[in-house]
Amino acid sequence: MSNEFVKPSRGGRWPLLLLGLVLVANGAVLAVNGARLTALGGSWYYLITGVLLIASGVCHALRRMAGFWLLALVFVGTVAWALAEVGTEFWPLVPRLAPVLVLGLLGLLALPRLSGGRIRGLARLGAAVLALVLVAGGVAVFQPHGVIQGQAAASASPIPVASGESRWQYYGRTPSGTRYAPFTQINRDNVQQLEVAWTFRTGMVAGPGSEDQNTPTQIGDTVYVCTPRNQVFALDADTGEQKWKFDPQADTKAWNRCRGVGYYEPAAVTRRVGGIPAPAPVEGRACAQRIVLTTVDARLIQIDAKTGQPCQGFGQGGTVDLKQGMGKIKPLYYFQTSMPTVVRNLVVVGGWVFDGREIDEPSGVVRAFSADTGELVWAWDLGNPAIDKLPPEGQSYTRSTPNMWSTPAFDDALGLIYLPTGNNPPDFWGGQRSKASESYSSSIVAVDVATGKERWKFQTVHHDIWDYDVPAQPALYDVPDGKGGTVPAVIQLTKRGQIFMLDRRDGTPIAEVKEQPVPQGGQEGDWTSKTQPYSVGMPAIGAEPLSEARMWGATWFDQLACRIAFKQLRYEGEFTPPTTTPSLVYPGYYGGFNWGSAAIDEHNGILIVNDIRMPQLVRLVPRADVDDKKVTMDHGMGLHPQAGTPYGITQQGFNSALGIPCHAPAWGTLTAIDLKTRRIVWQRPAGTVQDVAVKGFKAGASVPLGMPTLGGPLTTAGGLSFYSGTQDYYLRAFDTTTGQELWKGRLPVGSQATPMSFVSPKTQQQYVVVTAGGSRQSPDRGDYVVAYRLKGQ
C-alpha cells in the first residue's frame, strides 16, 4: 500500500476553503487584538493563537495536512493555558475552551477530506468525543457552579417559637434587625406545599427613577404596604382585601422609593424618653395606633392605623416638615427613602442626599421626634454637637456632613441606637472635607436614645473617596464568647464585602480587625489614608481582587476586549484612588452588601447575606471639561458635576460591548456564615439569567450565573431562608443549614424587596409576603404584593 499523500477530491474543496476562511477570520481578530493586549503587558496567548489559526486556515484552504496539526496545536495549547490560568473553575473555562472545542470539532469533521479519507474512522471518533464534551458542557451550563457546600450544626435546644401576637413591626421585624421570623408552621418538610394565598395590586407601577423596595409591616390582622411615592395601603392579612388607602401626594420624579412604614402605639410603650406619660387609652379614640411614614419630599407623617386618616395632634395636622433647620435645599437634594425607626416614644430619621451633585449639600443630621406630638426631642449634628435641637435662628445644621440614609438598629436594654453613616458629599473628592466629616464618614455610631449624645463610633473606611458608605442596617445578636457565655454584638455589613463584628456596648471588635496598607497616589489636591480596616476575623464575601485572568466574556472576542480594557485601567485593589486616569472600583459602590441587610437564624446562629459583585469605572473630570449639558440625574452612572470641587466624576459599569459584566461570574451570591465558628457554611449563585434582558434581548434560559442582588433575606424558625431579590422572577426558599433550594414560586415580575413573614391572629396561618415591582435592570414592571401560605390552610 502506497504511503504517498492522497489529495482530497474536488468535491471536498469548498468545505475546506470555508473552514480556512473561518479560521483566518478568527485568527486575524485574535492576532490584532492579542498584539494590543501584549503591548499592554498582558497575556501572549491570543497573539500566538491568532497567528497559528491564520496559518491553519491558510493550510486548510490549500488542502495541506499541516492545517489540521496547527489546529490541534491550538487546541492542546489552549487547554493547557486555560487550566494553568483558571484551574477547573467552570465559568472562567467556558469562553476559553468553547471556541476551540467548536473549531476542533469542525477540524475533525473536515479531516477525512483533508487526508483523502485515510483516517476517517479516527476523525469520526475524535469528532464524537468533542461533540459529547460540548453536549456535556451545554448541560453543565444549567447547573450552579462555584458552590460552597456544607452544613451548619443545628442547635440541639428546643426551637423557641413566638407566643402572643405576631408582629412584623420594624424593617428587620424587631429593632435588632435580624429578619428572623420565630414561626415553624412553614418548614423544611412542607415548604413544597406553598401556594399563592392572595395578590394585591397597588396601582402604582414604578416608572423611571422609581423602585419598589417595600418590606410590608404587619400588626394584628392588617398588613401595611407603601409604594415608591409613599402611598400607604392597609390590607386584610388573610385575604389581601384593601381596608383603606392614604396618599400623601409625594413624587420626586427621580428617586422614588419607600422601604417601609413604622408603627407606634402610645399605650404599649413602657420606657418613655423624657418621662412624659402616654395619653390615657380611650375606647374608639383616634390614633391609638399609628402608622408612621416619611416621604420622598421630606415629610414625617402619622396616620391612624385603623382608618388611614392623619393624626391631627401630630405636628401640623399630622405632618412634620423635615426640611426645618436644614437650610437651602434644592429639588432632589434631601429626603427620606428608608423606613422611619420608632424607638420607645420617639421617631428617629436620617435622610438621603443626592450623590455627586456639589460640595454644599444639606446636613446629614439625625433627628428624634416625639412620636406623640411631632416635637423635636434631639438632634445629632456631627459637625456641631452643641446643636442638639433646632439650630439658632438664621443658621442650619452643619452642611455636607455624612448622612444616615439607611436604617438604624436599637438595643432597648442598653438604650443605644446604632446609626450606619454614609460618606461626605460629593463622594469621590475629599480634598475639602472637614475634620468632623473625616471622623464620622462610613461608620457605625452608637448614640444614647434619650439624649442623642454619642457613646462610641467605629469607622469602616478612612477618608472614603469611593462611595463605600455603610448601607446596611446593623444586626444585633449575642454571639458565643468561647467560654460558655455570650457577648452582645452588632454585626455590620459593608459595601466592601467586609463584615465587622463589634461589642455593641463599646464598639470594641469581637472578630479581629487589622489596619492594612492600601494603595497611595491619589489626585493632586486630595489624599489617601495609608491604611484601611479589614475584618480578618470574619469572612469577606466577593472581595477577591480582580486580575486580567478574571476577565470574562460570552465569547472569545469580548473576553479579549475585556482583558484589553482591564489592562488600560488603573486598578490596584479595592482602594485604588480615583484620578483623571480611568480606574476601577470593586466590589463597587453598589456593593458588596447594600441596603437589603443581613438575616440571622437566631436559634442556630447562622448569618445569611446576599452580595453584589459589580465593578464600576470612574474618572475625575477637570472642572473646565465638565459639560453641564451632559450631566446626568442617573444615580451612580454618567457624569456628575461635584460642583465646588476641582473635578466632576464620570461613572459607568465595567461591561463588554454585549452589555455583560467583564469579570467572571458569579455576580451575586447567597451565603451562610456560622457565627460560632465565623466561617462560611455554604454559598451559592443567586438566581439565573432567565428574565435578564441584555440589549433588549431576554435570555429565557435558567442559567444560574448568579446575578447582582437587591433586597435582603428572611430566616424562619422552620429552618428556612427566603430570598426574592434575584434578577429572575422568583421567591425562593433554602434550607438555612445546607443552602439546598427547597422551593421557588414564580412572581409576576421581579422583586428587589425583602420578604417578611407573620402568623395571622385570626386564622393562625403563617404567611410569607413579598412585594414585586420589577428587578432593578428589568423592563418588566408591576405593582404586586403577593402572599403565600401552605395548601389547604
Side-chain angles (χ1 to χ4, degrees), residues 268-578:
V269 179
T270 56
R271 302 178 69 181
R272 301 179 64 84
V273 172
I276 304 172
V282 177
E283 184 70 26
R285 179 177 180 172
C287 294
Q289 298 174 308
R290 311 178 188 189
I291 295 301
V292 186
L293 68 148
T294 51
T295 66
V296 292
D297 56 4
R299 287 178 285 162
L300 173 63
I301 301 174
Q302 281 194 3
I303 52 179
D304 190 314
K306 297 296 184 184
T307 65
Q309 296 300 309
C311 294
Q312 296 299 322
F314 182 82
Q316 298 295 317
T319 298
V320 170
D321 183 2
L322 294 177
K323 297 187 291 296
Q324 286 184 318
M326 299 298 292
K328 181 181 180 181
I329 299 178
K330 296 181 181 179
L332 306 180
Y333 272 49
Y334 177 80
F335 48 87
Q336 286 66 37
T337 56
S338 297
M339 178 190 287
T341 302
V342 178
V343 294
R344 298 184 182 173
N345 56 323
L346 302 178
V347 182
V348 179
V349 296
W352 180 86
V353 296
F354 208 116
D355 293 350
R357 296 296 97 183
E358 59 183 68
I359 198 168
D360 181 31
E361 296 201 19
S363 175
V365 63
V366 177
R367 290 171 287 177
F369 296 88
S370 165
D372 297 300
T373 65
E375 177 186 358
L376 180 63
V377 176
W378 55 255
W380 179 65
D381 180 352
L382 64 87
N384 187 354
I387 300 179
D388 55 10
K389 286 197 175 182
L390 278 173
E393 187 70 27
Q395 298 183 32
S396 71
Y397 297 113
T398 307
R399 294 183 69 79
S400 296
T401 52
N403 60 329
M404 183 193 73
W405 58 266
S406 186
T407 308
F410 173 57
D411 185 324
D412 191 55
L414 293 176
L416 296 179
I417 186 164
Y418 302 90
L419 313 177
T421 68
N423 50 20
N424 198 100
D427 300 313
F428 293 95
W429 179 257
Q432 296 156 264
R433 292 179 182 168
S434 68
K435 183 177 179 180
S437 291
E438 292 289 2
S439 180
Y440 288 95
S441 68
S442 304
S443 299
I444 313 159
V445 184
V447 301
D448 189 300
V449 69
T451 65
K453 300 300 182 183
E454 176 192 331
R455 295 273 285 273
W456 60 259
K457 69 179 186 325
F458 178 89
Q459 191 165 59
T460 69
V461 179
H462 310 317
H463 190 64
D464 185 357
I465 51 176
W466 302 271
D467 197 16
Y468 283 147
D469 50 4
V470 180
Q473 180 184 25
L476 310 185
Y477 179 71
D478 294 349
V479 299
D481 63 2
K483 303 174 184 177
T486 59
V487 180
V490 53
I491 299 169
Q492 182 64 66
L493 310 186
T494 70
K495 286 184 179 180
R496 297 171 51 208
Q498 298 286 317
I499 304 172
F500 293 92
M501 181 190 291
L502 313 173
D503 189 318
R504 64 177 183 263
R505 295 168 296 190
D506 57 15
T508 303
I510 297 172
E512 184 181 7
V513 176
K514 284 186 177 180
E515 289 284 335
Q516 297 185 356
V518 293
Q520 301 297 294
Q523 192 67 30
E524 184 179 355
D526 205 343
W527 58 279
T528 52
S529 174
K530 292 183 179 180
T531 64
Q532 294 288 354
Y534 283 82
S535 182
V536 297
M538 288 288 287
I541 307 299
E544 302 83 2
L546 295 177
S547 65
E548 183 196 335
R550 289 189 64 192
M551 295 301 101
W552 198 73
T555 70
W556 223 344
F557 307 115
D558 61 325
Q559 185 196 27
L560 174 53
C562 284
R563 293 177 82 125
I564 291 171
F566 179 78
K567 296 297 289 186
Q568 291 174 326
L569 296 170
R570 291 177 55 257
Y571 176 72
E572 303 169 62
E574 64 178 312
F575 289 109
T576 304

Side-chain angles (χ1 to χ4, degrees), residues 647-679:
Y647 299 94
I649 187 80
T650 60
Q651 304 164 256
Q652 64 186 74
F654 185 47
N655 299 327
S656 74
L658 297 178
I660 297 171
C662 266
H663 64 300
W667 302 315
T669 67
L670 201 65
T671 303
I673 298 168
D674 189 324
L675 292 175
K676 298 180 288 294
T677 65
R678 302 173 194 172
R679 293 183 178 180

Side-chain angles (χ1 to χ4, degrees), residues 211-235:
E211 303 288 0
D212 189 339
Q213 299 172 342
N214 173 236
T215 297
T217 297
Q218 171 267 330
I219 305 294
D221 63 358
T222 307
V223 172
Y224 302 92
V225 298
C226 62
T227 72
R229 294 179 185 169
N230 304 117
Q231 299 153 328
V232 181
F233 292 84
L235 310 177

